[in-house]
């Protein structure tokens, strides 16, 4: 799960990382009012969307008066901000953060990530801040400083001092830098983050070290331990299909193709998507209904997949291990009777009680296309979709 910049800053600040004074606003009037409250004569208005690259896309603007803040905000609120991280559809702007403008002397890149190779939290830093890390590693790979944290002892101050030294931080600021690095690391550990990125971390003209931007991503599987983090979820920033699925306890990832997949198990979902591709099609989604595929769950899955208007065929691929194919078949039949499905449905069942399952599908009287192997199922799904959904393969049922 991602959170907004202002939320990440609040968390980091509570761990001793310095941030500029700022305030959140939900309207242009409130933004101008907030700026007056903050004081000063220069502010930065920052669109709060779950994506980086806002500066280049016009989502971060320096303003010299409250009138200018009001005008800038009128151009931001309600708009979709398209950055290189949002995809062409962009992300809606419903909140802005107003922050005191900071006299920047140096911009540093600082990131904490989970490194799978070393199985450690890795610190990635570069004196080339302000640029995206992908560009830094392409253009200035030598500028990148990396260090990993030994979990048994945690991040050590000497490591932080070494990083500060390699970044060329003024020795007078080393202690501040140690505190900043330790704060980010503690926030990362405390809340089961998978990423903390401060880009840029700046050194100001008056010798302060401030996090000018902040991004945090959390491990979804650990959110149950951190209700105060789950609360920060902003559904307006998520793919609506994915948040609807999460609300229903289904694991769903929306993709760009047109063959909807209803599968149990993540590995099987991956194999199904690969096979669809191999057969010349494109998956519209990745939907894992999990272990116990009750009829209700299958019906929910159908509803969800069908709410995506680009879906032109549905491939159900279930391997019954703990489950039983006859239960799953009953679920599919029940779902098709409840939900209006007007695209071809291809079902492949394997595992326990597969014969009974096939019998239930065959006797249902529903025009379900059955397949034995995964390849056959994928070919039939792609074929059904390419044949422009010939009428006799369609399931048309009243709800
Ligand atoms: P993004 O990474 O999404 O583009 P940032 O928060 O990093 O957004 O802002 C982009 C740039 O705007 C920063 O690299 C920095 O140069 C400038 N900036 C951001 N906040 C401030 C601020 N409070 N004062 C001065 N400059 C700022
Ligand atoms: Mg940034």
């Amino acid at each position: 799960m991602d959170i907004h910049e202002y939320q990440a800053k609040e968390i980091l600040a509570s761990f001793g990382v310095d941030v500029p004074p700022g305030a959140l606003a939900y309207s242009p009037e409130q933004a101008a009012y907030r700026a007056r409250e903050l004081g000063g004569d220069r502010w930065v208005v920052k669109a709060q969307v779950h994506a980086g690259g806002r500066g280049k896309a016009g989502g971060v603007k320096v303003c010299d008066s409250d009138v200018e803040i009001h005008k800038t905000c009128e151009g931001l609120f309600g708009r979709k901000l398209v950055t290189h991280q949002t995809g062409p559809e962009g992300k809606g702007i419903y909140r802005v953060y107003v922050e005191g403008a900071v006299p920047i002397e140096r911009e540093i890149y600082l990131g904490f990530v989970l490194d799978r190779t070393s199985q450690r939290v890795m610190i990635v830093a570069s004196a080339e801040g302000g640029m995206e890390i992908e560009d830094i590693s392409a253009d200035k790979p030598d500028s990148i400083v990396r260090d990993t944290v030994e979990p048994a002892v945690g991040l050590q101050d000497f490591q932080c001092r070494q990083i500060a030294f390699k970044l060329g931080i003024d020795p007078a600021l080393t202690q501040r830098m140690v505190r900043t690095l330790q704060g980010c690391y503690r926030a990362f550990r405390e809340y089961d983050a998978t990423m903390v990125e401060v880009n840029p971390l700046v050194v100001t003209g008056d010798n302060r070290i401030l996090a000018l931007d902040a991004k945090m991503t959390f491990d979804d599987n650990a959110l149950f331990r951190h209700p105060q983090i789950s609360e920060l979820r902003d559904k307006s920033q998520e793919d609506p299909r994915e948040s609807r699925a999460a609300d229903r306890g289904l694991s769903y990832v929306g993709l760009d193709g047109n063959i909807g997949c209803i599968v149990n198990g993540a590995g099987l979902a991956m194999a199904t998507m690969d096979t669809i591709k191999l057969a010349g099609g494109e998956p519209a989604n990745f939907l894992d209904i999990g272990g116990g595929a009750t009829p209700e769950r299958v019906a929910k899955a159908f509803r969800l997949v069908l709410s995506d208007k680009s879906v032109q065929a549905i491939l159900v691929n279930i391997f019954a291990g703990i489950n039983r194919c006859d239960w799953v078949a009953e679920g599919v039949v029940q779902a098709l009777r409840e939900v209006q499905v007007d695209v071809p449905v291809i079902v492949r069942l394997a595992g326990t009680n597969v014969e009974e399952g096939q019998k239930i599908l065959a006797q249902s009287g529903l025009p379900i296309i059955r397949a034995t192997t995964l390849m056959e199922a994928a070919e039939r799904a792609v074929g059904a979709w390419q044949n422009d959904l010939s009428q006799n393969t369609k399931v048309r049922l009243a709800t």
Side-chain angles (χ1 to χ4, degrees):
M1 187 187 86
D2 294 327
I3 59 172
H4 287 293
E5 171 199 0
Y6 76 92
Q7 296 165 330
K9 280 180 168 164
E10 205 174 302
I11 293 174
L12 293 179
S14 72
F15 285 90
V17 176
D18 289 335
V19 299
L24 186 70
Y26 291 92
S27 69
E29 293 72 26
Q30 201 183 10
Y33 175 76
R34 291 293 197 204
R36 284 196 295 274
E37 248 181 4
L38 284 170
D41 52 13
R42 205 143 209 246
W43 302 269
V44 182
V45 171
K46 310 180 83 175
Q48 296 299 292
V49 294
H50 286 183
R54 295 165 303 162
K56 282 197 194 111
V60 176
K61 296 233 170 85
V62 179
C63 297
D64 292 317
S65 69
D66 53 356
V67 177
E68 199 183 342
I69 289 179
H70 194 281
K71 200 159 147 252
T72 302
C73 287
E74 277 185 332
L76 290 176
F77 275 108
R79 216 186 88 191
K80 295 248 180 207
L81 190 68
V82 179
T83 83
H84 68 276
Q85 289 187 359
T86 59
E89 65 287 353
K91 298 224 160 158
I93 305 171
Y94 306 106
R95 307 173 194 190
V96 303
Y97 193 51
V98 184
E99 199 173 65
V102 167
I104 302 171
E105 191 132 291
R106 284 191 61 185
E107 296 195 319
I108 291 161
Y109 175 91
L110 178 62
F112 289 70
V113 288
L114 272 178
D115 177 48
R116 286 169 199 273
T117 312
S118 61
Q119 304 181 1
R120 300 272 189 276
V121 175
M122 181 183 265
I123 304 171
V124 183
S126 165
E128 303 289 331
M131 282 161 78
E132 301 299 331
I133 188 66
E134 294 82 4
D135 299 331
I136 301 175
S137 56
D139 301 346
K140 308 252 178 156
D142 297 339
S143 77
I144 298 179
V145 178
R146 289 187 182 84
D147 202 358
T148 54
V149 183
E150 163 59 48
V153 292
L155 179 62
Q156 298 293 296
D157 282 358
F158 81 87
Q159 293 181 281
C160 301
R161 286 194 290 273
Q162 261 171 0
I163 293 167
F165 179 73
K166 286 184 186 161
L167 293 171
I169 300 280
D170 182 337
L173 290 173
T174 307
Q175 252 338 88
R176 288 283 354 139
M177 190 62 186
V178 172
R179 205 181 137 135
T180 304
L181 291 166
Q182 289 287 12
C184 292
Y185 176 73
R186 285 197 296 125
F188 187 107
R189 287 298 309 256
E190 179 69 24
Y191 292 123
D192 290 303
T194 53
M195 201 253 320
V196 171
E197 188 185 61
V198 178
N199 185 26
L201 178 74
V202 299
V203 179
T204 65
D206 51 355
N207 271 339
R208 287 178 298 157
I209 293 185
L210 296 177
L212 224 56
D213 190 8
K215 232 182 181 179
M216 285 184 87
T217 306
F218 301 91
D219 183 345
D220 291 340
N221 295 315
L223 283 175
F224 74 97
R225 311 206 279 206
H226 310 294
Q228 67 279 51
I229 301 293
S230 324
E231 235 168 48
L232 304 179
R233 184 163 166 202
D234 180 356
K235 288 188 191 166
S236 77
Q237 300 295 308
E238 294 175 0
D239 182 328
R241 298 173 299 182
E242 286 173 25
S243 37
R244 264 204 305 275
D247 290 345
R248 286 161 182 74
L250 299 165
S251 149
Y252 181 96
V253 180
L255 301 167
D256 301 329
N258 25 39
I259 297 177
C261 309
I262 297 177
V263 180
N264 68 330
L268 195 60
M270 301 292 270
T272 307
M273 294 195 300
D274 280 350
T275 316
I276 288 173
K277 280 240 180 202
L278 194 63
E282 290 289 337
N285 69 279
F286 167 121
L287 193 154
D288 175 8
I289 56 173
T294 60
E296 292 74 27
R297 244 176 128 71
V298 177
K300 275 183 194 167
F302 268 98
R303 269 193 215 102
L304 193 73
V305 170
L306 284 166
S307 68
D308 181 351
K309 292 300 158 226
S310 54
V311 168
Q312 290 169 3
I314 296 180
L315 171 52
V316 182
N317 185 21
I318 303 285
F319 177 79
I322 301 167
N323 235 311
R324 283 170 37 182
C325 285
D326 48 335
W327 294 346
V328 175
E330 271 167 26
V332 172
V333 169
Q334 191 174 325
L336 292 182
R337 293 217 160 104
E338 282 168 11
V339 183
Q340 182 171 348
V341 181
D342 51 9
V343 297
V345 175
I346 298 86
V347 180
R348 183 250 176 171
L349 299 174
T352 315
N353 289 357
V354 64
E355 291 82 12
E356 287 93 319
Q358 295 290 12
K359 211 189 291 168
I360 291 167
L361 295 181
Q363 290 173 350
S364 70
L366 295 165
I368 296 166
I369 305 173
R370 281 175 287 136
T372 318
T373 65
L374 175 51
M375 195 64 218
E376 191 183 21
E379 278 168 355
R380 292 201 169 168
V382 175
W385 157 61
Q386 280 170 344
N387 289 341
D388 200 21
L389 327 175
S390 81
Q391 204 53 40
N392 60 2
T393 63
K394 285 188 181 181
V395 179
R396 283 197 183 279
L397 294 161
T399 30

